[in-house]
């Protein structure tokens, strides 16, 4: 039931000095001058996760022009922008007082990527802003004056400055929304252009450091080689030119430290759209591109890795390969097969994080270790089949082995951070110096089998409660298990990690039984998210989720150690 803000002030006054639990009385929705404030859930004590607040306002009251949310893409980008501007203001007003999280105000907002998230959502006419507030206490007794300051001064100021159009930077908000829309349109157009990735002329690819995703200052801007230059007309930005990486097999070669991995990493992240100023705006990749790496130690459950691996010692079956502790080569093979199973269209592979014996087997090794003694059919003999038979392209960083020249459709050489197209030269060299290798790939790639998980795979219960939680970006606690996502390099936001945890449960409850394969069930799960939004995964309102891709969702399930396959 809706109550007056004055009523809230009245309750607060009566709470001063009382035990923290009395704050529970605040739960409810209150009418402020231009918005409603809903106190959805009050924390149990000052050290517990902060209380959940939602600010609800009819969008027209913010004065934001309709054009900025007139379609779904714009809606996503606008909400992303508002979460950031709200966050910026919380940083101004959020303070520390008393014990625990007292006086802290916090909202989830994105970093370099623009993602669909549920901290700010625009449902029909209403803008909802979900954030967290540490209700103030001294020890465990309520500090009502401080709470009043937070609710009646700080939050209104944050809302006023962070959400009201006349206080926002109009050029910034437009750029944010329209460049996002442009990038999404560009991503959709890649397939009609027969390219898997587009790297804008002048883009800044390198990052500040390995742990800091902002652009490197003083970096050399991307220069597009004329052979691969493409020009595209986009609604907002107009004509944009850049390098189009064609479908098929592409090699990125070049000397050490010349920028190969940096280029591949930018391509990996191109499955997301970036904020203005990131440097990777309009660096856009097929949304179904997946980074593949070796991941020894992972578990693998009944994956048919026989296209790559056969005749393991002790007669271990590779058409339904099971291990609690995969090796370098078998983990990389499983990662590829699982990617194909879920429908990936492009594989992104870096020699830096690959198993060498999975990637290559040269003439000398073929002579010393006979085929009968080597379980692996190396990737070099399979990568062409992947494109010919399934239309799956590969972009491969390979500075160490020229044997790949024989099968590459396009060869890009990085030289002092600048790309050159050297396909012809590489072909010429391949003609001149034969590798002498015997192709070990067989006639066909082999078939991709769809697997169906069993219900007992998924148990989110721990101590009689559902326990699903993200512990940092790359770890999910699922019931009594820990899922290690550190090999999923395209996971970028902890909100995605949380959402994946809940989505596993959602899939297990809603679609597992009545679908025939993991792929089918997860596609239906993702279709629900597309249709109804992220909120459907939880029974209560909490704005800390961001939308993951189906690839990472499947990746988490595939790494669940309790996974059982029919
Ligand atoms: N355009 C650029 N301008 C400035 N520095 C860059 C640029 N591109 C990459 N770098 C920096 O150069 C360094 C080497 O880049 P990168 O790791 O991509 O090299 P690499 O070719 O993959 O090397 P290796 O063969 O040893 O794996 C990194 O520190 C990276 O941040
Ligand atoms: Mg490298």
């Amino acid at each position: 039931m809706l109550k007056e803000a004055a009523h809230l002030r009245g309750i607060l006054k009566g709470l001063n000095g009382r035990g923290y639990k009395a704050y529970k009385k605040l739960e409810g929705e209150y009418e402020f001058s231009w918005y409603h404030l809903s106190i959805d859930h009050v924390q149990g004590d000052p050290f517990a996760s902060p209380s959940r607040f939602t600010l609800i306002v009819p969008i027209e009251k913010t004065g934001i022009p309709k054009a900025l949310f007139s379609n779904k893409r714009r809606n996503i980008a606008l909400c992303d922008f508002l979460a950031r501007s709200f966050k910026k203001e919380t940083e101004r007003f959020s303070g520390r007082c008393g014990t625990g999280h007292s006086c802290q105000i916090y909202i989830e907002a994105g970093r370099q990527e623009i993602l669909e998230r549920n901290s700010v959502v625009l449902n029909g006419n209403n803008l909802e802003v979900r954030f967290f507030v540490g209700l103030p206490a001294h020890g465990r007794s309520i500090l009502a004056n401080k709470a009043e300051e937070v609710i009646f001064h700080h939050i209104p100021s944050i809302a006023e400055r962070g959400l009201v159009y006349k206080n926002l930077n109009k050029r910034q908000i437009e750029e944010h929304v329209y460049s996002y829309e442009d990038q999404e349109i560009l991503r959709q157009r890649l397939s009609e252009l027969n390219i898997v990735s587009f790297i804008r002329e002048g883009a800044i690819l390198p990052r500040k450091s390995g742990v800091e995703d902002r652009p490197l200052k003083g970096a050399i801007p991307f220069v597009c080689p004329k052979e691969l230059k493409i020009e595209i007309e986009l609604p907002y930005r107009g004509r944009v030119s850049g390098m189009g990486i064609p479908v098929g097999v592409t090699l990125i070669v070049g000397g050490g430290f010349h920028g190969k991995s940096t280029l591949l990493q930018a391509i990996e992240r191109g499955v997301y759209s970036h904020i203005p100023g990131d440097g990777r705006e309009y660096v856009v990749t097929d949304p179904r591109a997946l980074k593949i790496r070796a991941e020894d130690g992972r578990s693998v459950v009944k994956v048919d890795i026989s296209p790559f691996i056969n005749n393991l010692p002790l007669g271990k079956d590779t058409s339904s390969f099971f291990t609690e502790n995969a090796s370098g080569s078998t983990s990389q093979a499983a990662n590829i097969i699982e990617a194909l199973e879920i429908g990936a269209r492009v594989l992104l592979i870096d020699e830096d994080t690959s198993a060498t014996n999975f990637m290559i087997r040269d003439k000398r090794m073929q002579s010393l270790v006979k085929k009968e003694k080597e379980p692996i059919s190396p990737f070099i003999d399979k990568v062409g089949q992947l494109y010919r038979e399934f239309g799956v392209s590969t972009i491969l960083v390979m500075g160490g082995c020229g044997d790949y020249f024989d099968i590459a459709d396009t060869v890009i050489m990085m030289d002092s951070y600048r790309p050159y197209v050297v396909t012809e030269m590489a072909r010429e060299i391949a003609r001149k110096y034969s590798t002498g290798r015997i192709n070990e790939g067989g006639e066909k790639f082999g078939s991709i089998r769809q697997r169906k998980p069993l219900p007992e795979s998924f148990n989110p219960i721990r101590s009689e409660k559902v326990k699903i939680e993200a512990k940092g970006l790359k770890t999910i606690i699922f019931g009594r298990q820990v899922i290690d996502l550190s090999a999923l390099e395209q996971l970028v936001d902890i909100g995605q990690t949380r959402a994946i945890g809940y989505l596993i449960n959602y899939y297990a409850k809603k679609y597992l039984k009545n679908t025939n394969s993991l792929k089918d069930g997860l596609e239906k799960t993702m279709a629900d998210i597309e249709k109804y939004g992220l909120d459907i995964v939880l029974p209560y309102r909490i704005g800390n989720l961001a939308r993951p891709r189906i690839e990472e969702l499947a990746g988490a399930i595939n790494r669940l150690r309790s996974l059982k396959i029919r």
Side-chain angles (χ1 to χ4, degrees):
M1 209 184 55
L2 187 63
K3 296 184 208 109
E4 302 268 319
H7 182 77
L8 176 60
R9 211 190 277 266
I11 312 179
L12 261 180
K13 291 236 187 289
L15 295 182
N16 198 33
R18 292 183 54 191
Y20 203 84
K21 290 269 186 284
Y23 262 140
K24 280 275 176 210
K25 290 208 173 69
L26 300 187
E27 287 179 2
E29 190 169 324
Y30 305 92
E31 193 172 359
F32 281 69
S33 62
W34 60 281
Y35 58 80
H36 290 183
L37 185 69
S38 171
I39 302 182
D40 295 327
H41 178 261
V42 168
Q43 65 204 99
D45 69 77
F47 296 92
S49 331
S51 302
R52 300 199 307 266
F53 281 47
T54 302
L55 191 151
I56 306 157
V57 58
I59 186 79
E60 62 274 10
K61 293 213 174 161
T62 64
I64 295 172
K66 279 210 173 69
L68 291 172
F69 53 90
S70 56
N71 61 41
K72 179 152 186 191
R73 290 179 184 127
R74 293 179 188 181
N75 183 327
I76 289 172
L78 174 68
C79 289
D80 179 281
F81 184 90
L82 293 174
R84 291 167 198 268
S85 66
F86 194 90
K87 186 182 169 96
K88 206 164 104 213
E89 298 303 328
T90 62
E91 281 157 9
R92 193 190 302 265
F93 288 96
S94 169
R96 274 181 187 279
C97 70
T99 25
H101 301 294
S102 291
C103 290
Q104 287 177 18
I105 309 173
Y106 175 77
I107 188 168
E108 293 264 326
R111 291 201 265 201
Q112 300 306 108
E113 292 81 15
I114 298 175
L115 299 177
E116 181 177 349
R117 57 177 63 246
N118 72 346
S119 56
V120 177
V121 292
L122 177 55
N123 278 331
N125 256 341
N126 272 345
L127 187 70
E128 283 191 20
V129 181
R130 293 93 174 255
F131 57 104
F132 301 89
V133 174
L135 287 168
H138 177 72
R140 283 175 203 278
S141 24
I142 290 177
L143 283 175
N145 288 346
K146 287 283 178 201
E148 198 178 332
E149 195 178 318
V150 168
I151 295 172
F152 290 91
H153 175 66
H154 293 170
I155 294 173
S157 308
I158 292 168
E160 190 74 41
R161 302 163 67 121
L163 302 175
V164 175
Y165 187 62
K166 66 174 177 5
N167 301 327
L168 301 172
N169 181 326
K170 291 169 193 57
R171 198 195 50 77
Q172 257 179 23
I173 190 168
E174 257 181 35
E175 172 94 11
H176 198 87
V177 170
Y178 295 126
S179 89
Y180 174 79
E181 185 171 36
D182 262 2
Q183 292 177 65
E184 294 293 308
I185 291 171
L186 176 55
R187 192 171 294 105
Q188 286 210 322
R189 287 188 51 195
L190 295 179
S191 64
E192 85 198 40
L193 295 163
N194 259 326
I195 59 177
V196 292
S197 188
F198 177 89
I199 297 108
R200 166 180 63 88
E201 181 91 57
I204 299 296
L205 307 186
R207 302 292 96 190
K208 226 175 201 158
S209 79
V211 291
E212 165 68 76
D213 210 29
R214 278 180 298 177
L216 177 70
K217 285 206 181 75
I220 296 167
F222 188 79
V223 180
C224 172
K226 59 182 185 311
E227 297 88 337
L228 294 180
K229 190 166 185 146
I230 285 183
E231 288 204 333
I232 302 173
E233 191 75 28
L234 290 168
Y236 173 67
R237 173 134 180 162
R239 191 167 289 266
V240 42
S241 67
M243 177 169 90
I245 298 187
V247 295
V249 179
T250 301
L251 286 193
I252 299 172
V253 303
F257 216 73
H258 277 257
K260 303 183 296 295
S261 297
T262 303
L263 173 58
L264 191 77
Q265 280 153 12
I267 293 169
E268 284 164 28
R269 294 299 173 87
V271 298
Y272 304 114
S273 296
H274 289 95
I275 55 169
D278 173 81
R280 295 168 299 182
E281 314 91 292
Y282 302 90
V283 174
V284 157
T285 302
D286 186 318
R288 312 287 327 255
L290 190 58
K291 174 69 182 291
I292 299 289
R293 53 169 295 160
E295 189 187 352
D296 53 326
R298 68 159 284 191
S299 63
V300 175
V301 185
K302 293 199 184 172
V303 177
D304 181 357
I305 57 169
S306 64
F308 293 113
I309 317 252
N310 283 287
N311 306 324
L312 286 181
L314 311 176
K316 203 165 166 57
D317 183 12
T318 60
S319 68
S320 185
F321 183 65
F322 176 89
T323 179
E324 298 260 23
N325 187 3
S327 64
S329 66
T330 53
S331 63
Q332 195 161 357
N335 285 349
I336 291 177
I337 301 292
E338 287 168 353
L340 300 172
E341 179 188 357
I342 202 71
R345 306 298 304 153
V346 185
L347 306 180
L348 307 173
I349 302 182
D350 193 326
E351 62 185 342
D352 296 352
T353 49
S354 289
T356 307
N357 62 342
F358 179 78
M359 300 305 292
I360 50 180
R361 198 163 120 79
D362 66 7
K363 180 183 164 84
R364 288 182 172 179
M365 203 52 82
Q366 285 182 330
S367 318
L368 182 67
V369 181
K370 294 287 177 238
K371 178 71 190 126
E372 309 80 71
K373 296 282 179 199
E374 172 53 276
I376 305 170
S377 307
F379 191 64
I380 186 171
D381 294 328
K382 304 300 285 183
V383 61
Q385 295 170 344
L386 271 179
Y387 182 63
R388 287 192 299 277
E389 295 170 33
F390 301 105
V392 172
S393 297
T394 299
I395 303 176
L396 181 61
V397 169
M398 182 51 82
C401 177
D403 287 7
Y404 271 89
F405 294 172
D406 285 325
I407 48 87
D409 301 305
T410 307
V411 184
I412 297 166
M413 180 166 75
M414 295 304 288
D415 183 350
S416 305
Y417 313 128
R418 192 176 163 159
Y420 296 88
V421 175
V422 295
T423 313
E424 279 318 312
M425 222 188 302
R427 292 223 172 103
E428 188 56 37
I429 291 166
R431 274 192 292 272
K432 204 159 150 196
Y433 307 107
S434 156
T435 64
R437 288 187 72 247
I438 299 159
N439 186 315
E440 299 175 338
E443 292 269 291
K444 287 270 176 200
F445 181 81
S447 57
I448 300 302
R449 194 175 69 231
Q450 291 294 327
R451 293 171 306 156
K452 180 177 163 64
L454 293 170
E456 60 263 36
S457 309
F458 307 100
N459 182 3
I461 306 294
R462 173 157 164 180
S463 320
E464 291 170 31
K465 280 199 300 230
V466 170
K467 170 91 177 169
I468 301 173
E469 197 182 311
K471 279 257 178 281
L473 178 63
K474 298 291 182 80
T475 307
I476 295 174
I477 312 287
F478 191 84
R480 279 189 286 183
Q481 289 187 72
V482 177
I483 316 176
D484 177 4
L485 306 180
S486 44
L488 303 182
E489 295 179 356
Q490 287 158 297
L491 195 62
V492 292
D493 191 296
I494 188 171
Q496 293 180 306
T497 317
R498 288 189 195 103
I500 288 173
Y502 299 131
L503 281 167
I504 295 175
N505 200 33
Y506 182 92
Y507 155 73
K509 286 221 162 69
K510 184 152 183 208
Y511 289 120
L512 177 59
K513 283 212 179 74
N514 48 25
T515 47
N516 282 325
S517 65
L518 179 66
K519 177 168 191 264
D520 186 21
L522 294 187
E523 280 173 355
K524 292 201 160 74
T525 301
M526 295 309 289
D528 283 0
I529 295 292
E530 172 69 23
K531 207 159 157 195
Y532 308 111
L534 286 160
D535 284 353
I536 57 167
V537 301
L538 279 172
Y540 51 88
R541 183 156 66 185
I542 180 164
N544 64 359
L545 304 177
R547 181 163 166 168
R549 301 191 309 155
I550 192 171
E551 283 76 10
E552 281 72 36
L553 173 56
I557 291 176
N558 281 319
R559 286 162 180 79
L560 198 59
R561 288 188 180 262
S562 60
L563 181 65
K564 304 245 171 350
I565 298 289
R566 189 173 63 189

